[in-house]
Structures are given as structure tokens and as C-alpha cells.
């Protein structure tokens, strides 16, 4: 059945309704298309072997089944995957999932809406929806757990523990838990994307190939996308070259599946934050999302906005990977290619799964490893009105310095980046203007510290510089990306407050329109790993949060730039 999306025009917007299906109903539909002689129940496969002309599957009762090839759809604990590639070690997510079904009769006084509900509390969530309309209501509740619990689809748990965990929940959520008599319970586990799915005439599909947590509700959906592509590839390459068909299928599907595996882990993290400051940061991000992204594109466009039929026509080079860029993307200039590869290294499966904290660590590591500061540069850590900064200067032997002081703000969308990571770049700006000193500012970042925290820090650093006797006429404000937006905002504040104006502002690729609505955002979607619209939106939302994104101090692109320095 089709469940309404919360946003009234959601169905028009995404081009399709949200279908809710009971697992048993889906299996029944799929099985009804198969000739009966193809179905062998209770045939538990123990091993498979490719003998060069075909594949033989052997079941635990010793029977053998022979075919031209084998597509293993044996789920999360796949025997075939283990045999081909070895056992993979899943990691306990520190969470338990409880699943239960209630009848319409049991919930009728709660007046549950047709659409699903999502309750988020500290370290725990409840996802509930009608599985069969006005017949069966589904509840999935997660709670934190220190005790590693088995991954199982048929183990029952003691509902008393769950009730205790939700006793202070919103009344309807608590009532639902109260009415659960019995429940399945399983530990939640994370698995990394595996290197290969295909070997010879054998390939993996569904959870066997790309197990994921259920927080994008995409496991079965991705299995269906797999099937569509696999069927197309077998048709294109002919049943005579199954290996080629399987390899093309894998090439086409793996990047998207990996993005969803990491993305669904990221959703687990976002929805299960337990520390108060992280919950505040997450809620702030969601507030920001409501302002510029009512259809939640930054989270869902890559999931729901994907058209498998169109994608197959375009070819595998247009499938997007973890950084949101096209797989076949090659840059013309070698330095652009290097930049692309560096950005792709930041978007590792683990970093993407850890959300903005993962991107922060990955970006810092990439900068420090690839752009170390020159050993001759003199640097020292300092605080300016409590704002941490790094001051740097080149030795006199390097060049004859003029009086210019560069006040630099690093990039990273107000969410990632640091003064330390910017030293190498800032030192080059300093040398380019032959200045005597550069100060790079470790301003506070979103979503933990939303607007105006970064601007407050930046303005304080500027004022402290002047208080230390530096003539504003010798100060150049400099920045890349969000840092360039910040440099402009500092100049705007100086103009508003009647402070002395700096000599000039150097802006490289300024992130100056945080509504993320410029036409180049859409134009370069898929071609630019650094400025992928989903990431840009997330960063912008984490910065302005409840504040107006068009405020010129947030988005200097909307400012009147009269009487600004060059
Ligand atoms: C709580 C929860 C909620 C979910 N919600 C959603 C959702 O809303 N939307 C969504 O798209 N996905 C959802 N999923 C994910 C979805 O259930 C799985 O991704 C999907 O079932 C995977 O299908 P599969 O056929 O690959 O594996 P499975 O459904 O696990 O099927 C594997 C089959 O192989 C059989 N098998 C196993 N070993 C052998 C063997 N050795 N020999 C023969 N047969 C074998 C098993 O008996 C089973 O029938 C959810 C998962 C969970 C746990």
C-alpha cells in the first residue's frame, strides 16, 4: 500500500509515492512470478563450487544443484560470501533493536496517522508505521546497550526492559511500548563494504553483497535495484559470458550500495545522539534543514531521487559514489585531478558513516598529510581574547617583508577545517603579499557552535589585532570557502560598527550564499567532490540553524558591498 509522505507534495516532488510492504507480502509477490519447479524449500546451501563450465551448490543434506551461474541472495550471514571472501567481522553498534507488530484493535484509541512516526530521544528511537493499513501496526524501537547481543531475526526479548527504557517517552510512544506483549530483539551491527562481489560465475546480491542498517529503510529496496541491473547486464552480455555480466553488474551497483551502507550508519548516528551538546547540535542542524531544504534533499536526494532505469541508460560512469561525484569523473588538468582524488580520500566509508565528525577528521588528516607547513616557517599558538589562533612569519632570509599582516580564516563550510590545517595555505598567501605576519584563526564550528559564534571569534581576532597596535590599513583579511565568507562578514561588521576598515579582502571560492541556491550548485552536481550540494547544504544548515540564511552576515552574497575595501 502507499503511505503518505509527511510533506503534502512529497509524492509529486519525488515522482513516486512511498510504498509500505510487509516482508511476507513482498516475498509472496516475488515468488508468484517464479515457475514452481524453480523453488526448493528447506534447501540450505553449505558450499558452492565453480568448475569452469558451471556452478554446483551443495546443500547440508548432500544434494547438489547445478547451473550456469550462481547469484547468492543468502542474506546478512551469507555462506557464499564467507566461502568466496572469508568471514567479515561485524562491529556491534552498541544498540539493541526491538521489533513488534500490534493489531489495529490494539492501537485504535491512539488515533495513529496514516503516515509513519519517528520518535527520537537520547540514544534511542522509535519508528512506527502501518504495515498493512488499518490491520497491522509495526514498531521498531532501539535502545543503547553495553552488552554485545547476538544478531538474530527470531530471538525474543523481555519487553519489561524495553518498557523501562521508554517509560518517560512521549505518551503515545510509551503507550505503544506498553501494549507490546512480545518482541523480537537483535543487536545492531555495522559491516564495512566488501572489496568484491563477483568471482567467476558466482556473484552476491542483496544483504549478502551490501548489508546495511535499516535507518534509510533501503536494504530490500537496494536488493530490488540490484535485480534490475543484474537482469539488464545478463541480457546485454548474454548468458554465455556470465562473468562479464556479473562484473558489470558489480561495477554498476557497488558505489551506490557503499554510499547507502555508510549513509545508513550515518543516519543511525544522527538519530541516536545521546550527549546533550550533540543532541543540541543535531537538532540545530534539523532546524537549518527546515529553512532551505524542506524536502530533506541533503539526506534523501541520493536515496529517493535516483532513477535506476535512467541510470542504466546513462551508464556506470554516471553512478555516484561516496563523495556524491560520478564514478567516471576525470579532470582535464592534473592539479584538478589531484584535488579530486584528495577529496575522494576524505569521503572514505568510515568517515562518511561518522557524519560531520568523520569528515572533520578526514579533512584534517588529508590537509596535514598532503600540505605540510614549510619547516622554515616560524609558528606559535596563541589566544586573542580567548580565540585560539596560530601566528606565523617567514624568516627574514626568505624575502624583505612589508608591513602587511594577513588575518586568515580557513575553509570547511563552517563545519570542518582548522587553523592548523590551514597553515601551509596561509603561509603561501603571506609570501604572495610579502607580508610580515599571518594570523590564522581557529574559529568555532557548527553544528556545535552555530552562527554567530564563528563571526564573533573572527571579529574579536580582528579587533585584537588592532588593539595590539596593527594599523587596519595594513591588514588583509583572507579566507577560502567559508573562511572567505567570514572574511567578508568581518569587513561588513567593521563597516557597520564604524571600526577602521582593513586594507583589502582576499576571497578564494567564497561560500557566500548559504541558501545553496546558486545555479552553479546544480550545474556542478556530480562533478565537484568539494562542493557537492548535499554536503554544502548540511554545512550551511549546521551554521545558520534557526537564523535567517539570507542575513548578509551569514551570506555576504546578499550584502550591499558599497564602501567595502578591495
Ligand atoms: C528491523 C529491520 C527493518 C528493515 N526495514 C526495511 C525497510 O523499511 N525497507 C527496506 O528496503 N529494507 C528494510 N530492511 C532490510 C531488509 O529486510 C533486508 O535488506 C532484505 O531482507 C534483504 O533481502 P535479501 O534477500 O538479500 O536477504 P534476506 O531477506 O535475509 O533473505 C535471505 C534468504 O536466504 C536464506 N538463506 C540464508 N542462508 C541460506 C543458505 N545457506 N542456503 C539457502 N538459503 C539461505 C534465508 O533463509 C532467507 O530466506 C529492514 C531490516 C531490518 C532488520
Amino acid at each position: 500500500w502507499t503511505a503518505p509522505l509527511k510533506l503534502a507534495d512529497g509524492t509529486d516532488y519525488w515522482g513516486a509515492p512511498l510504498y509500505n510492504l510487509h516482508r511476507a507480502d513482498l516475498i509472496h509477490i516475488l515468488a508468484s512470478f517464479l515457475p514452481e519447479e524453480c523453488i526448493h524449500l528447506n534447501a540450505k546451501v553449505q558450499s558452492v563450487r565453480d568448475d569452469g563450465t558451471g556452478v554446483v551448490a551443495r546443500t547440508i543434506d548432500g544434494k547438489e544443484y547445478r547451473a550456469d551461474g550462481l547469484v547468492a541472495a543468502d542474506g546478512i550471514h551469507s555462506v557464499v560470501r564467507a566461502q568466496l571472501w572469508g568471514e567479515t567481522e561485524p562491529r556491534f553498534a552498541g544498540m539493541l533493536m526491538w521489533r513488534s507488530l500490534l493489531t489495529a484493535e490494539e492501537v485504535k484509541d491512539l488515533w495513529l496517522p496514516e503516515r509513519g512516526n519517528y520518535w527520537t530521544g537520547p540514544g534511542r528511537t522509535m519508528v512506527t508505521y502501518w504495515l498493512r493499513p488499518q490491520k497491522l501496526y509495526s514498531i521498531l524501537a532501539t535502545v543503547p546497550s553495553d552488552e554485545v547481543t547476538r544478531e538474530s531475526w527470531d530471538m525474543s526479548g523481555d519487553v519489561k526492559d524495553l518498557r523501562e527504557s521508554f517509560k518517560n517517552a512521549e505518551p503515545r510512544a510509551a503507550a505503544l511500548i506498553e501494549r507490546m506483549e512480545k518482541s523480537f530483539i537483535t543487536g545492531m551491527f555495522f559491516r564495512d563494504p566488501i572489496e568484491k562481489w563477483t568471482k567467476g560465475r558466482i556473484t552476491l546480491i542483496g544483504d549478502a553483497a551490501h548489508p546495511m542498517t535499516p535507518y534509510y529503510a533501503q536494504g530490500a529496496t537496494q536488493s530490488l535495484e540490484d535485480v534490475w541491473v543484474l537482469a539488464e547486464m545478463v541480457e546485454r552480455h548474454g548468458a554465455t559470458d556470465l562473468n562479464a555480466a556479473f562484473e558489470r553488474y558489480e561495477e554498476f551497483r557497488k558505489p551506490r550500495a557503499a554510499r547507502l551502507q555508510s549513509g545508513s550508519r550515518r543516519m543511525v548516528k544522527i538519530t541516536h545522539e545521546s550527549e546533550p551538546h550533540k543532541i543540541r547540535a543535531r537538532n540545530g542542524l534539523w532546524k537549518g534543514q527546515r529553512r532551505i531544504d524542506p524536502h530533506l534533499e541533503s539526506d534523501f536526494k541520493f536515496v529517493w531521487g535516483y532513477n535506476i532505469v535512467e541510470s542504466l541508460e546513462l551508464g556506470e560512469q554516471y553512478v555516484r559514489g561516496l563523495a556524491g561525484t560520478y564514478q567516471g569523473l576525470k579532470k582535464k588538468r592534473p592539479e584538478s585531478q589531484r584535488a579530486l582524488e584528495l577529496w575522494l580520500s576524505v569521503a572514505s566509508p568510515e568517515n562518511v558513516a561518522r557524519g560531520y565528525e568523520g569528515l572533520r577528521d578526514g579533512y584534517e588528516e588529508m590537509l596535514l598529510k598532503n600540505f605540510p607547513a614549510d619547516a622554515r616557517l616560524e609558528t606559535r599558538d596563541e589566544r586573542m581574547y580567548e580565540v585560539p589562533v596560530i601566528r606565523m612569519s617567514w624568516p627574514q632570509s626568505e624575502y624583505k617583508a612589508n608591513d602587511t599582516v594577513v588575518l586568515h580564516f580557513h575553509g570547511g563550510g563552517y563545519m570542518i577545517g582548522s587553523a592548523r590545517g590551514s597553515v601551509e595555505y596561509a603561509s603561501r598567501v603571506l609570501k604572495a603579499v610579502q607580508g610580515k605576519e599571518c594570523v590564522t584563526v581557529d574559529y568555532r564550528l557548527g553544528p556545535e557552535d552555530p552562527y554567530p559564534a564563528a563571526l564573533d571569534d573572527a571579529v574579536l581576532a580582528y579587533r585584537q589585532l588592532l588593539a595590539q597596535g596593527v594599523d587596519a590599513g595594513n591588514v588583509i583579511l583572507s579566507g577560502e570557502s567559508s573562511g572567505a565568507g567570514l572574511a567578508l562578514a568581518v569587513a561588513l561588521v567593521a563597516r557597520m560598527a564604524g571600526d577602521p576598515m582593513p586594507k583589502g579582502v582576499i576571497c578564494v571560492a567564497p561560500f557566500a550564499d548559504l541558501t545553496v541556491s546558486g545555479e552553479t550548485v546544480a550545474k556542478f552536481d556530480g562533478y565537484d567532490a568539494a562542493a557537492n550540494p548535499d554536503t554544502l547544504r548540511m554545512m550551511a544548515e549546521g551554521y545558520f540553524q534557526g537564523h535567517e540564511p539570507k542575513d548578509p552576515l551569514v551570506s555576504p552574497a546578499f550584502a550591499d558591498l558599497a564602501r567595502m575595501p578591495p
Side-chain angles (χ1 to χ4, degrees), residues 235-471:
E235 198 163 303
R236 280 188 200 172
H237 294 273
T240 48
D241 195 355
L242 277 182
N243 176 252
F246 289 174
E247 291 286 356
R248 294 291 80 72
Y249 144 77
E250 173 181 331
E251 205 176 317
F252 201 99
R253 290 292 303 146
K254 222 166 45 160
R256 176 162 166 76
R259 194 175 180 197
L260 275 148
Q261 283 175 285
S262 294
S264 59
R265 265 185 64 192
R266 180 180 151 258
M267 288 306 267
V268 171
K269 180 169 159 34
I270 293 175
T271 50
H272 291 82
E273 294 292 10
S274 57
E275 295 166 41
H277 73 283
K278 290 201 174 170
I279 293 175
R280 229 182 352 261
R282 186 268 320 273
N283 292 353
L285 235 160
W286 280 347
K287 259 191 225 162
Q289 202 166 35
R290 294 280 151 184
R291 286 188 162 267
I292 60 163
D293 188 12
H295 294 285
L296 314 185
E297 284 193 16
S298 52
D299 283 331
F300 286 97
K301 184 156 178 230
F302 86 95
V303 186
W304 291 348
Y306 179 73
N307 182 328
I308 186 83
V309 180
E310 227 168 59
S311 182
L312 264 169
E313 278 163 17
L314 289 170
E316 66 262 25
Q317 66 273 29
Y318 285 101
V319 174
R320 291 159 189 256
L322 281 153
T325 45
Y326 295 123
Q327 284 305 104
L329 185 61
K330 287 272 175 296
K331 295 285 183 181
K332 283 198 195 102
R333 293 183 307 156
E335 59 270 35
S336 305
Q337 182 62 27
R338 178 167 179 239
L340 171 67
E341 282 160 19
L342 291 177
W343 275 107
L344 293 181
S345 75
V346 173
S348 69
E350 187 62 22
N351 286 344
V352 171
R354 289 180 51 231
Y356 62 85
E357 287 163 285
L359 292 183
R360 220 174 251 170
D361 291 348
Y363 184 56
E364 186 80 351
E365 193 188 321
M366 181 274 279
L367 286 177
L368 295 178
K369 196 165 123 198
N370 294 283
F371 303 98
D374 192 307
R376 288 165 303 169
L377 194 71
E378 288 153 15
T379 62
R380 69 174 194 278
D381 291 353
E382 221 178 70
R383 283 183 178 264
M384 294 174 109
Y385 287 126
E386 294 309 309
V387 179
V389 300
I390 299 176
R391 297 187 96 113
M392 70 192 84
S393 54
W394 287 99
Q396 280 180 0
S397 54
E398 205 64 24
Y399 56 83
K400 186 168 167 7
N402 56 39
D403 285 336
T404 304
V405 173
V406 176
L407 184 61
H408 181 72
F409 306 105
H410 66 81
Y414 298 102
M415 192 174 258
I416 64 176
S418 69
R420 199 157 77 99
S422 73
V423 168
E424 193 273 347
Y425 173 81
S427 72
R428 280 190 283 134
V429 176
L430 177 61
K431 194 184 268 188
V433 300
Q434 304 273 289
K436 67 174 179 191
E437 192 182 31
C438 174
V439 178
T440 175
V441 183
D442 234 345
Y443 56 88
R444 284 168 291 167
L445 300 175
E448 295 93 333
D449 291 297
Y451 173 87
L455 183 56
D456 281 350
D457 292 353
V459 169
L460 281 177
Y462 178 59
R463 287 187 173 157
Q464 174 75 341
L465 212 52
L466 305 193
Q468 286 171 350
V470 176
D471 184 343

Side-chain angles (χ1 to χ4, degrees), residues 14-221:
W14 294 110
L18 178 69
Y19 292 98
N20 274 9
L21 269 170
H22 192 304
R23 179 190 164 88
D25 296 340
L26 175 62
I27 289 175
H28 182 73
I29 294 169
L30 295 174
S32 70
F33 286 94
L34 287 174
E36 241 173 62
E37 64 273 19
C38 285
I39 301 174
H40 304 271
L41 295 175
N42 298 318
K44 196 164 170 51
V45 174
Q46 193 173 38
S47 63
V48 293
R49 66 172 192 279
D50 181 341
D51 63 12
T53 55
V55 180
V56 178
R58 189 182 167 83
T59 53
I60 46 172
D61 56 8
K63 281 198 191 134
E64 293 201 335
Y65 299 82
R66 190 183 171 79
D68 294 335
L70 186 133
V71 179
D74 52 346
I76 211 154
H77 300 293
S78 172
V79 167
V80 179
R81 182 182 64 216
Q83 194 195 311
L84 294 189
W85 311 112
E87 294 286 354
T88 47
E89 203 48 58
R91 280 168 293 155
F92 183 53
M95 260 169 249
L96 300 181
M97 291 193 277
W98 298 74
R99 288 172 299 133
S100 196
L101 294 176
L102 294 176
T103 62
E105 190 56 30
E106 287 169 307
V107 299
K108 75 169 182 227
D109 59 314
L110 297 177
W111 301 105
L112 296 160
E114 265 202 356
R115 64 175 164 78
N117 283 299
Y118 210 131
W119 279 282
T120 307
R124 67 209 69 208
T125 60
M126 254 178 87
V127 184
T128 68
Y129 47 89
W130 286 101
L131 196 53
R132 290 190 184 126
Q134 302 310 323
K135 285 200 176 87
L136 271 184
Y137 199 72
S138 167
I139 301 166
L140 170 64
T142 41
V143 292
S145 166
D146 295 333
E147 202 180 315
V148 180
T149 305
R150 202 156 60 83
E151 194 176 34
S152 152
W153 303 143
D154 50 14
M155 187 167 71
S156 300
D158 187 347
V159 191
K160 259 203 340 259
D161 298 345
L162 184 65
R163 288 194 185 128
E164 184 58 26
S165 194
F166 277 83
K167 69 172 184 230
N168 295 323
E170 192 266 349
R172 275 191 311 173
L176 283 169
I177 299 277
E178 205 48 50
R179 287 166 203 202
M180 282 164 59
E181 297 268 298
K182 51 186 190 306
S183 174
F184 290 118
I185 182 173
T186 176
M188 191 197 293
F189 285 79
F190 295 146
R191 288 178 172 80
D192 295 326
I194 56 172
E195 284 287 310
K196 282 289 295 165
W197 298 356
T198 302
K199 201 179 227 174
R201 298 157 165 272
I202 304 174
T203 196
L204 306 174
I205 200 165
D207 277 7
H210 44 66
M212 57 186 75
T213 65
Y215 277 78
Y216 257 132
Q218 280 292 308
T221 313

